[in-house]
Amino acid sequence: MAGAGAFGRNHLRVYRELEAAGLGVALVAAVEPDAARAADTAAKYGIPVFSTVDALLAADLKLNAATVAVPTVHHHAVAAALLDAGLDLLVEKPLAAKLSEADDLIERADKGKLIVQPGHLERFNPAVMAVEPQLRRPMFFESHRLSIFTPRALDVDVVLDLMIHDLDIVLTFAASPVREVRAVGLPILSPMVDIANVRVEFESGCVANFTASRVSTERVRKLRFFEPRQYVSIDYARQDLLVIGMDGSVPPEIAAAIAAGKVDAATLAKLAAAAGAAGGPGPGLSFKKPVVTPGEPLRLEIQSFVQAVRTRQEPRVTARQGRAALALALEIQASMAAHAERAGLKDFFKAG
Ligand SMILES: NC(=O)c1ccc[n+]([C@@H]2O[C@H](COP(=O)([O-])OP(=O)(O)OC[C@H]3O[C@@H](n4cnc5c(N)ncnc54)[C@H](O)[C@@H]3O)[C@@H](O)[C@H]2O)c1
């Protein structure tokens, strides 16, 4: 375990829980340069805590795998050293800070036949896993991820800190190359972009709007999307899923548009909203709440990683998917920088 900070502590807890449950995992050691955190971790888990990766590797503990939960800007250095020592890795999101770093990690992993799973844990959110089998042809996404300001993860902007989760999910669901990105982002409380709004259009014609903020007064983590004859709403925090379907009594002009593949998302949104305002399904609409078995996404993510390590199968979230999410995040940063330039905001702006 590299990095026993705010989020690394959650990994430590889950590894220990899996160990205690007899699931074939042993938490052996950690790396943490901060002396107080290192002492706490050593005391709490009864494991050696090294101040550097080199010191860990010199101890020759016969490790198989590790989580990397150090600040994003250090992902590459730490992950590269662990890969070269032959360890499979769960690397917290984003996979790296730069594409060249992500490419280098992929190359090292391929060379050593090692697993690198980026920590896109929303893929293990039970609501997301429940919606995947129901996916048809998502054409319009609306994503909101708002959180209250905490002085953490300030080595990167809100796109690499928070929006990256939604970029990965939408890239997976849309399954089409990105055609165009338009973005605006502003620094509010930190020197980097704290709030961002992005419109992505895919080659398939699918469009996604993303809003992410780490300076909000409320917490929201929602994804809504529209596809022919279906509207889906996911609340990540509540692990809640709502599917509004359209049956045969859909008004003929809408049915014809759907049949022709010309789905007008605004029309579908209006229908769904009207049905919601009326307190239930309207004519031609049906509400479904598919069963979602609750679970801690991080625990499910780590269990999946352990399974990939054991079976040597490709992880559920691959390093190349982590690279794709990073590539889109960097394109968004470039679009935000161009917007800031056009708007005369360059002095306030420092890309992440
Ligand atoms: N999946 C999620 O939902 C989620 C949530 C929060 C953070 N994260 C990710 O986890 C990572 C860590 O974030 P955090 O909020 O825990 O940050 P943090 O600053 O609280 O913790 C990072 C820790 O890594 C240690 N560290 C720094 N350099 C190191 C090195 N070379 N080797 C070992 N340890 C080192 C620091 O001393 C610190 O204790 C980031 O990549 C972040 O994006 C993911």
Side-chain angles (χ1 to χ4, degrees):
M1 175 72 224
F7 207 66
R9 275 185 218 135
N10 293 322
H11 283 260
L12 285 163
R13 168 181 56 77
V14 171
Y15 279 118
R16 181 46 58 83
E17 284 172 6
L18 296 179
E19 182 177 357
L23 294 177
V25 177
L27 177 62
V28 177
V31 181
E32 173 52 61
D34 180 281
R37 285 180 178 181
D40 282 356
T41 306
K44 185 163 182 186
Y45 292 100
I47 52 173
V49 180
F50 301 89
S51 61
T52 64
V53 171
D54 285 350
L56 168 85
L57 296 177
D60 196 17
L61 296 171
K62 313 276 180 255
L63 302 170
N64 301 113
T67 281
V68 175
V70 303
T72 301
V73 293
H74 300 307
H75 280 190
H76 174 260
V78 170
L82 293 171
L83 284 172
D84 289 351
L87 274 71
D88 296 308
L89 298 181
L90 173 54
V91 180
E92 259 310 331
K93 49 60 35 184
L95 178 57
K98 298 179 187 161
L99 276 188
S100 55
E101 294 175 348
D103 287 336
D104 183 63
L105 293 181
I106 290 171
E107 204 181 308
R108 285 173 202 253
D110 285 352
K111 207 166 134 200
K113 298 199 176 6
L114 295 166
I115 289 160
V116 171
Q117 177 176 328
H120 289 293
L121 93 172
E122 293 289 29
R123 287 263 216 113
F124 299 89
N125 188 306
V128 171
M129 293 203 282
V131 86
E132 277 189 12
Q134 311 212 18
L135 278 181
R136 294 177 186 172
R137 192 180 160 211
M139 290 305 294
F140 174 58
F141 292 90
E142 192 71 53
S143 159
H144 287 93
R145 186 171 295 261
L146 315 178
S147 74
I148 292 163
F149 186 75
T150 53
R152 49 152 292 276
L154 298 181
D155 58 319
V156 291
D157 69 2
V158 72
V159 176
L160 285 181
D161 179 16
L162 300 182
M163 193 185 282
I164 191 95
H165 286 293
D166 306 303
L167 301 179
D168 169 65
I169 295 277
V170 170
L171 278 169
T172 308
F173 284 6
S176 171
V178 170
R179 180 193 297 162
E180 189 188 37
V181 172
R182 298 184 75 90
V184 55
L186 291 172
I188 307 288
L189 294 178
S190 85
M192 296 199 186
V193 166
D194 293 318
I195 182 161
N197 179 265
V198 180
R199 182 184 191 277
V200 175
E201 187 165 341
F202 294 88
E203 292 291 348
S204 63
C206 172
V207 169
N209 287 329
F210 300 88
T211 301
S213 167
R214 55 185 180 189
V215 290
S216 177
T217 51
E218 55 176 342
R219 291 189 174 90
V220 177
R221 283 158 58 200
K222 283 190 179 171
L223 176 66
R224 284 165 271 225
F225 59 89
F226 299 87
E227 46 188 3
R229 294 182 170 273
Q230 203 161 266
Y231 161 73
V232 178
S233 173
I234 297 173
D235 186 319
Y236 294 107
R238 289 168 48 190
Q239 300 190 359
D240 196 40
L241 177 59
L242 173 66
V243 180
I244 302 178
M246 309 192 71
D247 66 23
S249 55
V250 172
E253 68 279 13
I254 294 177
I258 291 168
K262 292 181 190 159
V263 184
D264 179 340
T267 308
L268 293 181
K270 268 190 227 154
L271 276 169
L285 296 180
S286 66
F287 277 69
K288 274 192 288 173
K289 271 189 155 283
V291 177
V292 176
T293 310
E296 184 187 1
L298 182 64
R299 185 179 169 119
L300 296 168
E301 176 187 71
I302 291 178
Q303 280 181 308
S304 176
F305 170 61
V306 169
Q307 176 77 358
V309 168
R310 197 169 281 139
T311 60
R312 309 312 302 161
Q313 278 176 0
E314 194 168 64
R316 177 171 160 78
V317 185
T318 66
R320 283 175 174 79
Q321 289 173 327
R323 184 205 189 271
L326 176 64
L328 179 53
L330 297 179
E331 209 176 326
I332 289 168
Q333 286 183 341
S335 175
M336 292 190 307
H339 171 269
E341 179 92 45
R342 287 197 304 277
L345 294 169
K346 219 169 155 243
D347 290 347
F348 296 101
F349 192 97
K350 182 170 173 266

